[in-house]
Amino acid sequence: MYDYIVIGAGVMGSSTAYALAKEGKKVLLLEQFPIPHTRGSSHGASRITRTAYPEEFNGSIMAVANSMWKDLEKEAKTTLFKHTGLLCTTSTLHKELVDTQKTLQRYNTGPVPIIDSAEISKRYPLMSYPKEEKACFDFSAGILYADKCVMAFQKVFQKRGGEVIDMCKVQHVTPGDVVTVHTHRGNFQAKGLVITCGAWSSEILSDLGISLPLQVMAIQVCYWKARNGVDHSSLPLFISLDEISDIYGMPTSEYDGLMKICLHYGVLCAGPDMRDNTDSKAEAKNLKMLTEFVASTFPYLVPEPAIKERCMYTVTPDNQFIVDHHPIHRNIVFGAGFSGHGFKMAPVIGNMLAELVQGGKPELLVDELRASRFDKKSKL
């Protein structure tokens, strides 16, 4: 019997398994697909990491996560992060920009001024924003090498005695003082269970009587080619806080000479196994909006994606994630609904879930991240 079983070997599950193994626990990490794979939300070469959030509680999580990524780099003996800085822009949601500025000034050293579009163009001549645009700069931000991060967690987890079984789909969970996880490759038992299944979370949680307002989105990940070989590699990352054009981008590490620029939302799909069967008209509308943004903001990019790939988000109504325990069986905990911005927080989320499943009270787990905030929609 194991001390703990973790279901789902994406970045959240791998981080949680590592956190438990660090405490000397006997841990089993289960994954339904072959490792590595591209079916979930943790694959790919790059993710933005930033402290720039209008919500103070997210900033407090990132202040801890930033140092934890450095610790993982040292233990895994591999580079996981590239420092670039990030431009945070808006033309309409100026309050959110001010709140983001406050978060940055609290957790970063030094002042964080708000600049106008003329200053943006002066600093970054390859970018063109309308005159009403405002921005601030996150000096802590950069690129996480996503695939390497997941592999690093799994490497140090196994080095500490953890066990990983992939191609092992969970069929049913029997709760109790000893939890039994039923799979097509046999049954496994543990004192506690952590569920980090991404887009498949609802399948397992509903089996345990938990209903959360989670929706699965299919996301188009787009890469854009430079005109005449113009080098964009020195640009910072950027995100837009505008609700209509919620867009982010970065000089890519995936494909030489291309920029990764994407909408931070997609098209709802019927389930995680249906991500390639979505509303084609809605996807075309989203791509048109994105293309218009690229054409106006990046005049030295070809305004047509050179490469399009797929990813998935599991989103909540407020776009904040959920970390909590089962209302009856407190040795069963879960992390879900990371809404496309959780990857960077994985070291902290893993520690939260590890502490929670052992009966602790994580300091950074605020009410805004508990399932109880959805009382009308949740059975918790």
Side-chain angles (χ1 to χ4, degrees), residues 318-337:
D318 60 6
N319 290 315
Q320 303 297 341
F321 57 87
I322 304 170
V323 170
D324 220 325
H325 52 67
H326 193 283
I328 299 172
H329 309 287
R330 293 192 170 237
N331 60 340
I332 297 177
V333 306
F334 53 88

Side-chain angles (χ1 to χ4, degrees), residues 32-49:
Q32 66 172 321
F33 296 115
I35 295 176
H37 66 86
T38 61
R39 291 299 307 173
S41 303
S42 293
H43 64 278
S46 60
R47 294 291 189 281
I48 288 176
T49 182

Side-chain angles (χ1 to χ4, degrees), residues 43-257:
H43 64 278
S46 60
R47 294 291 189 281
I48 288 176
T49 182
R50 58 185 166 103
T51 310
Y53 273 98
E55 305 89 9
E56 192 276 335
F57 62 84
N58 279 325
S60 67
I61 289 173
M62 284 310 305
V64 178
N66 289 335
S67 62
M68 293 181 72
W69 283 117
K70 293 176 184 177
D71 292 340
L72 180 62
E73 280 188 318
K74 291 177 183 177
E75 185 171 350
K77 295 181 175 60
T78 187
T79 300
L80 303 176
F81 171 77
K82 178 183 178 181
H83 184 259
T84 61
L86 176 140
L87 192 67
C88 186
T89 74
T90 181
S91 60
T92 56
L93 297 177
H94 291 158
K95 181 183 182 302
E96 289 206 15
L97 187 65
V98 171
D99 289 342
T100 299
Q101 179 194 34
K102 290 177 181 177
T103 299
L104 289 172
Q105 289 182 156
R106 178 168 183 174
Y107 294 107
N108 287 346
T109 57
V112 181
I114 290 179
I115 61 176
D116 60 19
S117 61
E119 182 62 24
I120 296 173
S121 296
K122 181 180 177 181
R123 295 185 187 186
Y124 310 111
L126 298 180
M127 304 173 79
S128 175
Y129 281 99
K131 64 180 180 179
E132 62 269 19
E133 201 79 12
K134 305 291 183 185
C136 64
F137 199 80
D138 180 354
F139 292 94
S140 72
I143 297 171
L144 287 169
Y145 301 129
D147 286 335
K148 289 185 177 180
C149 290
V150 177
M151 288 188 290
F153 275 128
Q154 293 171 3
K155 173 184 175 181
V156 294
F157 165 64
Q158 290 175 294
K159 190 175 180 180
R160 290 177 177 269
E163 183 180 351
V164 180
I165 302 178
D166 64 355
M167 300 179 68
C168 186
K169 185 172 177 61
V170 172
Q171 298 169 323
H172 175 64
V173 173
T174 302
D177 292 338
V178 173
V179 182
T180 303
V181 178
H182 306 264
T183 80
H184 75 287
R185 295 180 64 175
N187 300 335
F188 305 95
Q189 292 187 316
K191 299 173 186 175
L193 174 67
V194 182
I195 300 168
T196 52
C197 300
W200 288 265
S201 295
S202 291
E203 291 182 12
I204 294 179
L205 291 174
S206 61
D207 187 42
L208 292 164
I210 298 174
S211 177
L212 297 175
L214 302 175
Q215 292 185 303
V216 179
M217 272 188 179
I219 305 297
Q220 292 187 88
V221 182
C222 297
Y223 301 86
W224 310 76
K225 186 176 181 178
R227 297 180 188 272
N228 303 317
V230 175
D231 184 8
H232 288 69
S233 63
S234 63
L235 288 180
L237 316 179
F238 73 89
I239 59 169
S240 168
L241 294 174
D242 292 346
E243 290 179 346
I244 295 176
S245 58
D246 191 358
I247 295 169
Y248 70 92
M250 68 187 82
T252 181
S253 58
E254 287 94 327
Y255 304 104
D256 287 343

